[in-house]
Amino acid sequence: MSLINIAVVPVAGMGTRLLPATKSQPKEMLPVGRKPVVQYVVEELGQVGVERLLFITGPGKTSIENHFDLNHELIQTLRNEGKEELLDQLSFERASIQYFYTRQRQLLGLGHAILCAEPFVRNEPFVVALGDSIIGLTEKSRIVERMTDCFENQNADAVIAFQEVDPMAVHRYGIASPKEEGDVFEVADLIEKPPVDKAPSNLAVAARYILKPSIFDALKRTEPGAGGEIQLTDAIRILIKEGAKVYGVKLNDTNTRYDIGNFGSYFRAFTEFALADEKFGNEYRDYLRERLKKETDADHS
Ligand code: G1P
């Protein structure tokens, strides 16, 4: 059995940057290629042995519950019609993960959302996977596996995934001050959404964390920070200041992060997954080639 079998997936955010698409549906349910965003996240967690998964939800998020529930009527209809291929598309419903849901009743930030998981997590380490970020083009991104190895080998108190970002974008992320160079490094400090001139590096927190229950006590002592919200980054920072060993694991080429938090990155993510689709990818590629060629030809005429 894997060391870490509990996951917490916060999905409470309102997704205002994706309005109007998110007016009456969660951003986590937007399709990227054939699946909704959150299905990739759950499949990634299933691959690394997560058995119990708690969604931290909010108003308007019940379609996430429905998505991971068994839909007997639909299964029966597809079976009666002999639509085996479509039935296969529902196999994720039978994953052995047990799903749990709790509501973050006040939207006070990511740190506050994680604090809602305290009674569920109790004494075990757990993984946090943000429900609006897909890592890797397949469910086998292995980032959580690499993070778990680091957690065990370094006897760490927390491990965080990091990606290198454009220095002009650091104000959108939690940014690390690394103690050393490398794909795995100890974190000396963390700053949530610093202005570019205050950022200690361009290493940005990338939507996956392994935490111990000690985070809950730190979260209770965390004052509102960037954006007036209780930030997970700030709670981890408290742990570091108190002597905890926090490590970073860098995403590599096979586990790019696809962020579904704004339209620019959502469109890019959709294109990547559509191009990588086993069945429809080639057709889409041909279409895009033709489409862009027309544009280039028009520019040159
Ligand atoms: C959150 C975290 C931030 C992290 C980002 C991407 O920010 O607070 O540290 O870099 O997710 O994983 P948000 O995108 O919710 O503003």
Side-chain angles (χ1 to χ4, degrees):
M1 193 168 77
S2 154
L3 172 75
I4 298 179
N5 48 46
I6 298 181
V8 175
V9 180
V11 292
M14 294 211 287
T16 44
R17 278 175 293 167
L18 292 164
L19 280 169
T22 51
K23 180 165 177 269
S24 61
Q25 68 175 332
K27 66 173 167 179
E28 295 81 7
M29 287 299 293
L30 291 177
V32 173
R34 290 200 225 177
K35 303 178 198 172
V37 180
V38 68
Q39 187 178 332
Y40 292 98
V41 178
V42 169
E43 287 177 347
E44 179 198 327
L45 295 170
Q47 284 284 330
V48 291
V50 164
E51 293 168 351
R52 297 198 299 139
L53 188 153
L54 174 69
F55 286 103
I56 314 288
T57 76
K61 302 280 178 168
T62 43
S63 59
I64 298 177
E65 277 182 56
N66 295 339
H67 189 72
F68 291 103
D69 203 5
L70 274 171
N71 185 336
H72 296 287
E73 211 182 315
L74 178 59
I75 292 173
Q76 202 50 53
T77 309
L78 294 176
R79 201 163 278 151
N80 293 346
E81 292 172 357
K83 296 194 168 146
E84 294 302 321
E85 205 189 324
L86 293 179
L87 271 172
D88 266 3
Q89 297 298 323
L90 296 181
S91 57
F92 74 94
E93 285 184 348
R94 296 187 291 278
S96 59
I97 299 180
Q98 251 190 309
Y99 300 103
F100 298 82
Y101 300 86
T102 192
R103 282 237 194 171
Q104 184 188 14
R105 287 189 284 181
Q106 283 173 289
L107 296 184
L108 299 179
L110 178 61
H112 177 259
I114 300 306
L115 194 50
C116 299
E118 184 179 20
F120 175 79
V121 165
R122 300 210 271 188
N123 300 318
E124 289 180 53
F126 60 104
V127 49
V128 170
L130 304 192
D132 64 357
S133 291
I134 305 171
I135 301 203
L137 264 180
T138 71
E139 71 279 12
K140 299 190 189 80
S141 86
R142 299 275 174 254
I143 183 63
V144 175
E145 200 171 286
R146 287 174 59 212
M147 291 166 72
T148 309
D149 287 347
C150 170
F151 184 73
E152 284 181 57
N153 297 342
Q154 309 289 350
N155 196 15
D157 292 293
V159 179
I160 306 171
F162 285 95
Q163 65 183 129
E164 289 182 34
V165 296
D166 183 326
M168 296 321 286
V170 289
H171 64 280
R172 298 212 300 261
Y173 297 96
I175 301 293
S177 165
K179 272 198 185 165
E180 63 259 333
E181 302 255 309
D183 287 342
V184 176
F185 54 90
E186 193 173 351
V187 178
D189 200 2
L190 270 180
I191 309 176
E192 182 68 13
K193 303 194 169 78
V196 61
D197 56 324
K198 297 263 163 49
S201 75
N202 67 338
L203 290 166
V205 173
R208 300 292 182 270
Y209 309 75
I210 292 176
L211 301 169
K212 281 184 174 172
S214 54
I215 193 68
F216 298 122
D217 178 56
L219 280 167
K220 287 174 199 159
R221 292 184 280 129
T222 303
E223 299 291 331
E229 299 187 335
I230 298 175
Q231 298 289 353
L232 181 56
T233 305
D234 293 341
I236 299 173
R237 186 179 207 195
I238 291 180
L239 292 178
I240 296 173
K241 300 262 182 271
E242 292 175 353
K245 286 205 289 179
V246 175
Y247 282 83
V249 173
K250 264 203 244 176
L251 301 185
N252 56 30
D253 292 345
T254 59
N255 36 50
T256 307
R257 170 172 169 262
Y258 299 97
D259 166 26
I260 320 301
N262 61 71
F263 282 115
S265 56
Y266 172 51
F267 290 172
R268 285 195 293 277
F270 195 99
T271 301
E272 289 296 341
F273 279 79
L275 285 171
D277 192 286
E278 274 180 16
K279 194 169 169 191
F280 301 101
N282 283 338
E283 189 187 321
Y284 185 55
R285 181 171 291 101
D286 291 344
Y287 165 76
L288 280 183
R289 270 209 195 100
E290 273 304 303
R291 175 69 188 72
L292 294 175
K293 188 172 171 298
K294 260 191 215 158
E295 208 161 281
T296 325
D297 291 349
D299 283 350
H300 291 180
S301 65

